């Protein structure tokens, strides 16, 4: 019988190598712009995005850069937040992001809003990943931050979880456990996948 943890670790190594190989800056910029357009055309314009704050993320390593989308949404009047990582094993919290204010290095060296910025409970959560499949599951880094966060947020209010990835990050089937949270949508530079009605 296959050990689920070992299967995930092997999948993570494979997925990280695949994503890291997408090193062409021009392609990355194209993907970020295409994803922004897709989000606006397929989710915002038809009204799938609920009112309320949108929480994104500051890209780590080779993650797809959602900052162009966040800046566009903020210019349009949306409240935008970034995650603040606490101790391993706990849900993320989110603080308002003002692009003109300096950020601080968080727990993993990721840029995040300073502690004096107000906390936000997002209505929409943009989720980074190493890989995804066509059933709406994602492969994260193994700390469980986003699964715990989605579980906690969904216990408080409806939240729309939108995975953001390069098309090349797709896997046939992501190994998953009982506590892994399913995404509502996944967007890539090539297509929009919807998993909830």
């Amino acid at each position: 019988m296959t050990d689920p943890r070992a299967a995930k670790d092997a999948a993570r190594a494979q997925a990280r190598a695949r994503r890291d190989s997408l090193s062409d800056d021009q392609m990355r910029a194209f993907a970020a712009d295409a994803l922004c357009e897709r989000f606006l055309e397929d989710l915002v314009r038809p009204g799938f995005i609920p009112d309320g704050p949108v929480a994104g993320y500051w890209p780590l390593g080779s993650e797809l850069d959602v900052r162009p989308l966040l800046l566009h949404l903020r210019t349009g009047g949306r409240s935008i937040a970034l995650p603040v990582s606490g101790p391993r094993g706990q849900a993320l919290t989110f603080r308002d992001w003002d692009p003109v204010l300096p950020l601080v290095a968080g727990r993993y060296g990721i840029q995040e809003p300073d502690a004096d910025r107000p906390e936000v409970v997002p209505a929409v959560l943009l989720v980074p990943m190493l890989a995804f499949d066509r059933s709406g599951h994602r492969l994260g880094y193994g700390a469980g931050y986003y699964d715990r966060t989605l579980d906690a947020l969904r216990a408080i209010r409806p939240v729309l979880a939108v995975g953001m990835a390069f098309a090349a990050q797709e896997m046939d089937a992501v190994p998953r456990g009982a506590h892994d949270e399913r995404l509502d949508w996944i967007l890539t530079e090539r297509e929009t996948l919807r998993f909830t009605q």
Side-chain angles (χ1 to χ4, degrees):
M1 185 176 191
T2 304
D3 176 8
R5 185 172 295 177
K8 280 191 172 187
D9 287 344
R12 282 189 189 98
Q14 178 187 24
R16 188 185 298 271
R18 182 183 306 148
R19 194 184 68 189
D20 288 349
S21 72
L22 305 172
S23 58
D24 181 82
D25 289 342
Q26 187 174 11
M27 184 279 298
R28 287 181 163 280
F30 165 78
D33 289 343
L35 192 131
C36 179
E37 289 178 23
R38 186 171 299 285
F39 187 92
L40 298 172
E41 289 293 321
D42 294 350
L43 276 76
V44 174
R45 183 172 291 174
F48 292 121
I49 297 298
D51 291 334
V54 175
Y57 57 89
W58 198 267
L60 173 65
S62 59
E63 286 177 345
L64 196 146
D65 190 354
V66 296
R67 290 174 294 183
L69 172 59
L70 297 178
L71 291 170
H72 183 88
L73 293 171
R74 184 174 175 87
T75 300
R78 281 276 184 164
S79 171
I80 300 297
L82 292 175
V84 176
S85 56
R88 188 179 176 99
Q90 293 187 8
L92 298 166
T93 57
F94 299 89
R95 293 190 181 278
D96 181 69
W97 177 41
D98 185 338
V100 303
L101 297 177
L103 297 171
V104 297
R107 180 177 175 86
Y108 298 102
I110 302 170
Q111 297 295 297
E112 56 189 46
D114 202 349
D116 64 351
R117 299 299 299 155
E119 282 197 23
V120 171
V121 178
V124 180
L125 183 59
L126 307 184
V127 184
M129 65 187 76
L130 286 170
F132 68 92
D133 63 27
R134 288 187 174 258
S135 64
H137 292 96
R138 67 179 277 277
L139 185 66
Y141 297 98
Y145 279 113
Y146 276 92
D147 292 312
R148 287 183 180 88
T149 300
L150 282 169
D151 182 58
L153 289 173
R154 286 170 169 163
I156 297 170
R157 64 180 288 181
V159 61
L160 195 72
V162 184
M164 311 297 267
F166 297 101
Q169 291 177 251
E170 182 178 348
M171 299 181 83
D172 289 337
V174 168
R176 58 184 185 268
H179 300 292
D180 292 343
E181 292 283 326
R182 190 168 177 242
L183 300 170
D184 300 302
W185 299 75
I186 293 175
L187 269 65
T188 76
E189 75 277 19
R190 293 185 191 160
E191 62 184 329
T192 301
L193 304 172
R194 184 182 182 187
F195 307 104
T196 56
Q197 297 302 317

